[in-house]
Amino acid sequence: MSFDELQKAWQQQDAAGQVTIESDALLRLVRRNHKTMEGILFRRDFIEVAIALILIPVWIWLGEKGGLLWTWYLVIPGLLWIAGFFIVDRRNQGKKRPQPGDSLRESVEQSLAQIRHQIYLLKNILWWYLMPVALPLAIFTLHKSWLDYEIWGMANELIFFGLVFWGIYELNQWAVKKNLKPQAEELRDLLESLNRSDSEVESSVESESSDKS
Amino acid sequence: MQENEEQLEQRYCRWVDEHQGLIFRVVHASENLPEDKNDLFQEILLQLWRSMPSFEGRCKETTWMYRVALNTARAWRRSEKRRRERKEEIAIFTSLHGNDGEPNPLLESLYEAIREMPKAEGSLLLLHLDGLSYQDIADVLGVSEGCVGVRLSRARKQLAEKMKGQANEL
């Protein structure tokens, strides 16, 4: 069988007989999806920031209620920093999201850039997410123990918080290794294969023109 | 002039109605299991709907639809776990068959060969089999027209290798 015959058989496939689309159900789905998508986007942006912001009054209330030292409140700038970081990053990245109507190459490029950004964020989670909270907490613990002369209590608290933050850090590094890096590699391979053929064409055109000259 | 919701829905239904074969072929060339086909088909239809407002007519409708379908199929594999809970069936697939209604093993093998190929080659071959011009293929994939020719001859060789015994003169 020749390629033309194969192509003919391919083009003669009768899709209408092999897939039945329920038009009413489809329209119901897209109408429902339009509303839920707006809700999902809003909630996703809102929840991440809201958690950091809601913690601020809770933190103040706990400090006031327990009559805690001034160093307790050093966590608040850290929480504000995290909320601000989320907002700015989400806004910047939102503009770069791949669009369904992009060409395959553009779509792969955008997806790869997005995944690389996620990897960068998670690899550096210690600096922008964990440290702004862990450092003030450590200062507060040291301050309190210094005043109370409680070396063992301080050591226990520091070890506990250290383990919690280390666990969060490791969990994120695992996610990078297990999910994001394979995705990035797959996308990079696809992009390279698309780019490679372009450069091959350029080099073959160059060699042809040099042969002629 | 911006379309209202009703006009958008009308255009959407027309696109789906006229070009469902295109989506059907992308789905078959991407996934093998019936439940995956259903999910991907639904996802492409949703992505197509979401993309409608940004279609400005700078390319052909079919070019736009191929882009949406191929991009969705490419990204969908990685988000299988987040597969949405399907409340109602949007599309019902039957097994592949030819015009006579009989199962078509040649088409099955062809789809299987495309699924096994690297994504760039598989997409290229699918567009070529669909009869798109080099210019249109280049538009969908975002590569140069010259690259399409080079890539296509390689993809056809790969296809011939995979379909040895069934289609020897590829």
Side-chain angles (χ1 to χ4, degrees):
Chain A
M1 179 179 256
S2 70
F3 188 83
D4 289 343
E5 286 169 313
L6 196 66
Q7 193 175 33
K8 201 176 164 193
W10 175 273
Q11 288 176 0
Q12 278 178 343
Q13 288 176 81
D14 180 18
Q18 298 177 60
V19 59
T20 315
I21 299 177
E22 303 290 336
S23 304
D24 291 343
L26 177 61
L27 277 178
R28 274 199 301 278
L29 176 81
V30 294
R31 282 172 192 154
R32 194 172 60 224
N33 184 261
H34 185 63
K35 286 173 192 148
T36 50
M37 264 309 284
E38 285 172 356
I40 287 167
L41 289 176
F42 176 74
R43 272 198 303 276
R44 194 190 57 193
D45 288 353
F46 180 77
I47 286 172
E48 284 169 352
V49 174
I51 289 171
L53 291 179
I54 284 170
L55 270 176
I56 294 171
V58 172
W59 206 259
I60 294 171
W61 178 75
L62 285 171
E64 291 295 318
K65 197 180 170 218
L68 298 174
L69 298 165
W70 65 271
T71 43
W72 174 258
Y73 300 99
L74 286 178
V75 170
I76 293 171
L79 293 172
L80 282 171
W81 156 259
I82 291 170
F85 188 93
F86 264 128
I87 293 170
V88 172
D89 186 66
R90 191 65 79 193
R91 280 189 164 213
N92 286 342
Q93 290 305 308
K95 290 174 197 161
K96 298 173 190 167
R97 220 168 274 157
Q99 299 301 312
D102 288 341
S103 70
L104 187 65
R105 180 195 265 180
E106 285 167 334
S107 170
V108 174
E109 279 171 350
Q110 303 273 27
S111 300
L112 183 58
Q114 238 184 0
I115 287 183
R116 281 182 174 158
H117 181 70
Q118 282 178 345
I119 291 174
Y120 175 80
L121 283 185
L122 294 185
K123 277 195 162 177
N124 292 289
I125 197 167
L126 184 69
W127 306 110
W128 67 269
Y129 189 79
L130 297 177
M131 273 300 186
V133 176
L135 204 63
L137 263 180
I139 292 171
F140 167 74
T141 309
L142 287 169
H143 188 196
K144 188 170 164 284
S145 327
W146 175 264
L147 294 177
D148 294 347
Y149 295 102
E150 275 201 36
I151 302 298
W152 287 114
M154 174 195 75
N156 285 338
E157 278 182 34
L158 284 180
I159 289 169
F160 172 74
F161 285 128
L163 283 173
V164 169
F165 283 108
W166 177 77
I168 296 171
Y169 178 80
E170 283 300 320
L171 198 67
N172 281 284
Q173 301 319 303
W174 179 81
V176 168
K177 204 174 157 188
K178 175 94 177 147
N179 300 320
L180 296 178
K181 278 193 172 171
Q183 283 180 29
E185 274 169 29
E186 198 182 318
L187 286 170
R188 201 190 52 219
D189 288 349
L190 179 55
L191 189 61
E192 270 176 12
S193 73
L194 286 167
N195 287 335
R196 194 169 52 231
S197 37
D198 253 1
S199 57
E200 277 170 14
V201 170
E202 278 165 22
S203 60
S204 68
V205 169
E206 275 170 21
S207 65
E208 268 175 32
S209 58
S210 64
D211 286 349
K212 280 176 191 168
S213 65
Chain B
M1 199 178 72
Q2 196 138 12
E3 285 176 299
N4 62 32
E5 189 89 356
E6 199 180 329
Q7 288 170 318
L8 206 62
E9 276 183 10
Q10 279 173 2
R11 185 156 62 95
Y12 177 70
C13 289
R14 182 177 60 77
W15 278 20
V16 173
D17 195 40
E18 285 176 11
H19 306 297
Q20 59 176 271
L22 173 167
I23 305 172
F24 169 85
R25 289 189 290 276
V26 171
V27 168
H28 265 290
S30 305
E31 297 301 325
N32 192 24
L33 298 172
E35 60 267 31
D36 288 342
K37 283 179 188 166
N38 269 319
D39 280 349
L40 179 57
F41 197 87
Q42 184 168 318
E43 187 61 32
I44 292 173
L45 289 175
L46 278 175
Q47 289 296 337
L48 184 66
W49 169 251
R50 284 177 204 152
S51 78
M52 297 284 289
S54 46
F55 177 74
E56 292 168 340
R58 288 186 190 155
C59 61
K60 291 179 189 170
E61 285 175 7
T62 46
T63 300
W64 185 265
M65 288 185 74
Y66 275 116
R67 284 176 173 183
V68 173
L70 290 173
N71 287 335
T72 309
R74 174 191 66 73
W76 183 80
R77 290 170 191 211
R78 275 183 295 280
S79 56
E80 265 177 292
K81 284 180 187 169
R82 287 183 276 126
R83 183 183 294 171
R84 82 174 37 76
E85 215 177 286
R86 268 184 291 130
K87 291 192 173 124
E88 47 188 338
E89 292 289 351
I90 300 302
I92 298 150
F93 281 82
T94 59
S95 59
L96 277 175
H97 55 73
N99 280 346
D100 51 2
E102 292 296 312
N104 190 328
L106 181 71
L107 283 177
E108 285 286 4
S109 311
L110 187 51
Y111 275 116
E112 198 182 329
I114 293 174
R115 282 196 293 268
E116 285 171 1
M117 289 171 109
K119 275 178 200 159
E121 270 83 3
S123 305
L124 191 69
L125 206 53
L126 183 140
L127 298 170
H128 181 53
L129 283 164
D130 270 0
L132 268 72
S133 67
Y134 280 17
Q135 176 61 54
D136 287 342
I137 295 175
D139 274 354
V140 174
L141 299 182
V143 296
S144 69
E145 224 177 308
C147 154
V148 172
V150 172
R151 209 62 200 251
L152 207 49
S153 61
R154 201 181 307 157
R156 280 174 66 157
K157 275 182 199 159
Q158 284 183 28
L159 181 70
E161 192 66 32
K162 285 181 189 295
M163 294 194 69
K164 248 181 197 167
Q166 292 176 79
N168 291 323
E169 298 165 38
L170 295 177

